Amino acid sequence: MAVENFDEKINILEKKVKEAVSRALDLVRLDEIRVKYLGRKGELNDLIKELPGIPEELKAHNGRRLNSVRNDLENLINKKSVELKDKFVEEKLKKEGIDVTMPGRSVSLGHLHPLTKVERRIEDIFQSMGFSVVFGSEIESEYYNFDALNISKDHPAREMQDTFWIKNPKSEIQNPKQHLLLRTHTSPMQARYMEKNNPPLRIIVPGRVYRHEATDASHEIQFHQIEGLMVGEDISLANLKAIFEEFFKRFFNKKKVEIRFRPGYFPFVEPGIEVDIKLETGSKWLEVAGAGMVHPKVFKAAGYIPGKQQGFAFGVGLDRLSMIYYGISDIRLFYSSDFRFLKQF
Ligand code: FA5
């Protein structure tokens, strides 16, 4: 083999690699070049294999040349690899770059449900009049929901409140203290609270209640009540009227709210009344609560000494009051989870 030929072969290889490297646009292509020319089975190794065939006196010179060309080309490829990596990062940053001068996106915050807002307003007003806020359990026993409130098993008043009963899987024996239900009103807390606390007392009990009845624009199967109870030596319906007048005035932000008591029937009060309000002269009366003087049998069931105290109790429908307050025509909207409705509050 002519010596010039071998020298020339090295030159051509060197030139080819340099050109290929300069044209490589990404790291994948660069690696292909490395494998093709400098890899174990690459073209440079092919030339090394040819070394034994050239004249003895030139072997050393060409051997050194091959080594130095390999080193140069490896350095060249490494340098190019760093360049390509830098370019890749730069382009990625350009694409995903953050413009710190752009205005931020506004975060939309949630807010309280309208019924919660109304409940808190009511709690605030009653608390400012010296009432404590207490809570009861939504799962209640037959005893506290009915018996302790003078509604015995075959009392027709039980049918006034269609009940969701909870089956007791352990026993068929229906002990009223163990027989569970979803409370049909907040009144059971009257009995529970008086069992543990002596008069004088004034409490309100806000909470969710359940009735197994058909729904319509003013009836839900799950709704809210606020129970009120005030007991002392000489608490009368006049006190209830004064408290309601003050409460409704503040609740509706009015100078005056007219209040009307009509006879009503609830087994746990005597006398029992229905409470109506009128917000403007000339407007119609709105029914807002059931109420009355606590029945002696309710005091007795709570363990109070007969004749030692008297007091009033009331039950306000929170949903109905919220409907009046916000001018909402259908109670079911409160429970629809419809954002178009909820966003208005
Ligand atoms: C009672 O539940 C009595 N516990 C109230 C009471 C308490 C009377 C203390 C005397 C002393 P009533 O069933 O009328 O009463 O319900 C009270 C209020 O709850 C009603 O005035 C009404 O505003 C509301 N209400 C009743 N049923 C529904 C229903 N299905 N959906 C929405 N609100 C209702």
Side-chain angles (χ1 to χ4, degrees), residues 62-310:
N62 279 308
R64 273 198 303 278
R65 258 220 82 201
L66 275 173
N67 267 340
S68 98
V69 166
R70 175 196 288 282
N71 278 342
D72 287 352
L73 293 178
E74 271 174 357
N75 286 340
L76 182 74
I77 290 177
N78 287 342
K79 207 172 133 219
K80 180 80 177 187
S81 159
V82 172
E83 271 172 35
L84 286 175
K85 272 184 200 151
D86 286 351
K87 199 172 123 212
F88 175 74
V89 171
E90 209 173 283
E91 273 170 11
K92 197 164 178 222
L93 278 180
K94 221 188 258 169
K95 240 192 261 163
E96 298 172 6
I98 297 167
D99 181 353
V100 288
T101 62
M102 290 238 304
R105 270 191 221 136
S106 68
V107 180
S108 86
L109 287 180
H111 59 71
L112 293 177
H113 190 278
L115 289 175
T116 312
K117 285 189 176 175
V118 170
E119 182 183 317
R120 300 223 174 142
R121 246 174 92 72
I122 295 174
E123 287 169 9
D124 282 351
I125 299 172
F126 275 104
Q127 275 176 320
S128 77
M129 294 194 283
F131 284 74
S132 307
V133 181
V134 299
F135 299 93
S137 166
E138 287 171 32
I139 295 179
E140 189 46 279
S141 71
E142 177 182 11
Y143 174 77
Y144 285 107
N145 196 82
F146 292 123
D147 301 71
L149 296 171
N150 191 32
I151 318 175
S152 57
K153 217 173 190 67
D154 32 48
H155 198 295
R158 283 211 181 187
E159 275 142 45
M160 284 161 68
Q161 301 181 359
D162 285 326
T163 309
F164 287 108
W165 294 95
I166 296 173
K167 238 190 191 155
N168 181 349
K170 286 205 192 113
S171 122
E172 281 303 308
I173 308 159
Q174 301 299 12
N175 174 345
K177 285 207 170 169
Q178 285 167 6
H179 194 199
L180 300 180
L181 46 78
L182 293 178
R183 66 177 175 189
T184 58
H185 52 176
T186 41
S187 302
M189 269 310 279
Q190 289 185 32
R192 283 190 180 273
Y193 194 81
M194 286 194 284
E195 271 185 358
K196 297 227 166 78
N197 298 274
N198 286 322
L201 56 91
R202 47 180 124 170
I203 56 163
I204 58 162
V205 189
R208 201 173 281 157
V209 301
Y210 303 83
R211 287 190 198 172
H212 190 256
E213 57 187 33
T215 61
D216 61 27
S218 53
H219 292 84
E220 256 297 353
I221 54 169
Q222 171 215 269
F223 58 100
H224 297 78
Q225 288 186 339
I226 301 214
E227 193 78 8
L229 178 68
M230 184 167 182
V231 181
E233 268 178 25
D234 49 10
I235 304 298
S236 71
L237 283 184
N239 297 112
L240 173 62
K241 189 148 190 271
I243 279 173
F244 267 173
E245 267 166 4
E246 182 63 18
F247 166 70
F248 286 115
K249 219 168 65 180
R250 286 213 234 159
F251 182 75
F252 287 108
N253 292 319
K254 300 263 178 209
K255 284 218 172 68
K256 186 170 161 42
V257 173
E258 269 188 83
I259 308 246
R260 178 171 82 175
F261 284 175
R262 277 182 295 119
Y265 174 67
F266 304 96
F268 32 96
V269 285
E270 178 58 39
I273 55 174
E274 300 279 359
V275 181
D276 300 336
I277 57 168
K278 194 192 270 191
L279 294 178
E280 316 283 347
T281 18
S283 65
K284 60 177 185 182
W285 288 102
L286 303 162
E287 188 180 313
V288 286
M293 294 300 288
V294 179
H295 198 289
K297 284 195 178 162
V298 176
F299 283 142
K300 191 164 169 241
Y304 280 10
I305 303 163
K308 278 267 182 212
Q309 64 283 308
Q310 58 183 44

